């Protein structure tokens, strides 16, 4: 009986893997085009990049394209892809912090021009601007959540600058000191702080025309103090309302 001759066994990866690699590359390019035509959240895009960078290399010994690394190493297959992407959109990921500081300075100038330095503090944090309404005695009566006349006046002035951010997500946070409250209307500081945040949110929506879809209210009670509650002064600082403006599109706001 004649034995069949065994064919030559090709070394390296199977031939189908090259075709599959090409398909993956085409899909990657397709998604890149989709990204270039859409409005991108920089943080989400960075997470997208990282997910590819951290992927397991499935194609050990696979061919590379250009000067990139192996196809199985995901996004790194395209050299300097992230830099190319931002350049294509005329975006610089390292400039965002400077733009945010510029927006904060505009708020500070506005607050100073209107004599509200003792009532409102402003600072930049990551991807948002935080406005802190400092003196709660101007905002609310003790144990109450209805805005006082002076508080309405402050919010009315502040809204003239805040309206620039009407398309951004805005969160209102209410905070209290650690003195317990237990009334029929407000069983705890959580209820009171939430009601105060809602009062500010309702004013912005009902009196200043902000989109309720862009506004949220959150009560933190006594659980996020900025200083110790051991003194009268410390407790006064902890009783506050904070407005968080989440800023994603800097250029549009700066152009206004």
């Amino acid at each position: 009986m004649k034995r069949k001759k065994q064919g030559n066994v090709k070394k390296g990866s199977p031939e189908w893997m090259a075709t599959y690699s090409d398909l993956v590359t085409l899909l990657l390019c397709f998604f890149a085009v989709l990204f270039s035509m859409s409005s991108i959240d920089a943080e989400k895009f960075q997470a997208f990049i990282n997910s590819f960078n951290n992927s397991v290399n499935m194609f050990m010994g696979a061919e590379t394209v250009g000067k990139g690394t192996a196809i199985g190493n995901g996004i790194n297959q395209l050299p300097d892809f992230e830099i190319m992407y931002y350049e294509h959109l005329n975006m610089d990921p390292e400039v965002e912090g400077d733009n945010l500081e510029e927006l904060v300075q505009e708020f500070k100038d506005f607050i100073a021009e209107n004599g509200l330095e003792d009532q409102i503090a402003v600072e930049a944090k990551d991807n948002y601007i935080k406005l802190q309404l400092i003196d709660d005695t101007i905002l609310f009566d003790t144990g109450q959540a209805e805005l006082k006349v002076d508080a309405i006046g402050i919010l009315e002035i502040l809204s003239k600058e805040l309206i620039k951010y009407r398309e951004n997500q805005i969160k209102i946070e209410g905070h209290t000191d650690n003195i317990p409250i237990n009334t029929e209307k407000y069983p705890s500081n959580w209820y009171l702080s939430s009601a105060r945040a809602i009062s500010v949110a309702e004013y912005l929506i009902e009196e200043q025309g902000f989109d309720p879809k862009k506004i949220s209210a959150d009560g933190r009670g006594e659980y996020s103090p900025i200083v110790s509650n051991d003194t009268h002064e410390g407790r006064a600082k902890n009783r506050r309302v904070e407005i968080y403006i989440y800023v994603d599109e800097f250029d549009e706001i700066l152009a206004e």
Side-chain angles (χ1 to χ4, degrees):
M1 180 181 295
K2 295 183 179 181
R3 295 184 180 180
K4 294 183 180 180
K5 295 183 179 180
Q6 294 182 351
N8 294 329
V9 178
K10 295 183 179 180
K11 298 181 180 180
S13 302
E15 294 180 355
W16 64 266
M17 195 168 285
T19 303
Y20 183 77
S21 300
D22 290 340
L23 175 62
V24 171
T25 303
L26 289 173
L27 285 174
L28 188 59
C29 293
F30 172 71
F31 284 119
V33 172
L34 289 182
F35 271 116
S36 69
M37 296 178 356
S38 62
S39 177
I40 303 301
D41 184 312
E43 288 189 356
K44 291 181 179 178
F45 176 74
Q46 186 61 54
F48 171 77
I49 296 294
N50 292 339
S51 70
F52 277 98
N53 286 340
N54 296 329
S55 63
V56 177
N57 193 337
M58 295 175 59
F59 303 104
M60 298 301 294
E63 294 293 330
T64 64
V65 178
K67 297 180 180 179
T69 57
I71 299 246
N73 202 22
I75 203 72
N76 279 343
Q77 174 58 48
L78 303 179
D80 299 325
F81 178 82
E82 184 178 2
I83 296 174
M84 293 166 57
Y85 170 79
Y86 278 109
E87 287 178 350
H88 177 68
L89 294 186
N90 295 319
M91 294 171 60
D92 184 349
E94 297 182 358
V95 173
E96 293 186 355
D98 295 335
N99 287 340
L100 188 58
E101 289 294 342
E102 185 176 343
L103 297 176
V104 168
Q105 188 58 51
E106 288 185 4
F107 258 113
K108 289 181 177 179
D109 293 342
F110 176 84
I111 290 169
E113 290 170 3
N114 289 276
L116 298 176
E117 300 99 315
D118 294 334
Q119 282 77 42
I120 304 174
V122 56
E123 61 178 323
K125 290 283 188 178
D126 299 327
N127 67 326
Y128 61 82
I129 298 171
K130 182 174 77 172
L131 305 175
Q132 183 176 310
L133 305 180
I134 301 170
D135 192 346
D136 81 304
T137 60
I138 295 178
L139 300 176
F140 310 100
D141 286 323
T142 302
Q144 301 299 319
E146 290 73 26
L147 288 169
K148 298 170 70 171
V149 174
D150 289 342
I152 293 174
I154 293 173
L155 290 174
E156 183 178 6
I157 295 172
L158 181 60
S159 295
K160 295 177 182 179
E161 183 71 10
L162 194 60
I163 198 68
K164 293 181 180 180
Y165 303 85
R166 58 188 174 274
E167 297 301 324
N168 293 73
Q169 290 296 324
I170 297 176
K171 181 176 72 171
I172 318 295
E173 276 192 2
H175 299 264
T176 68
D177 57 29
N178 65 344
I179 303 298
I181 183 174
N182 186 6
T183 66
E184 183 177 353
K185 194 172 186 179
Y186 306 116
S188 70
N189 281 323
W190 241 335
Y191 284 84
L192 178 60
S193 62
S194 297
R196 288 180 170 181
I198 291 171
S199 291
V200 175
E202 286 181 337
Y203 172 82
L204 294 177
I205 294 168
E206 296 173 2
E207 302 298 329
Q208 298 298 329
F210 282 77
D211 186 351
K213 295 179 181 178
K214 300 289 186 178
I215 303 288
S216 63
D218 185 17
R220 304 298 300 275
E222 70 266 33
Y223 301 107
S224 295
I226 54 177
V227 295
S228 172
N229 280 299
D230 293 339
T231 64
H232 173 76
E233 292 76 13
R235 290 191 293 273
K237 290 181 179 181
N238 289 329
R239 296 190 299 268
R240 68 199 189 277
V241 171
E242 295 175 342
I243 300 175
Y244 293 82
I245 308 165
Y246 292 91
V247 183
D248 295 320
E249 301 295 337
F250 298 96
D251 295 335
E252 294 180 6
I253 298 170
L254 288 168
E256 294 185 3

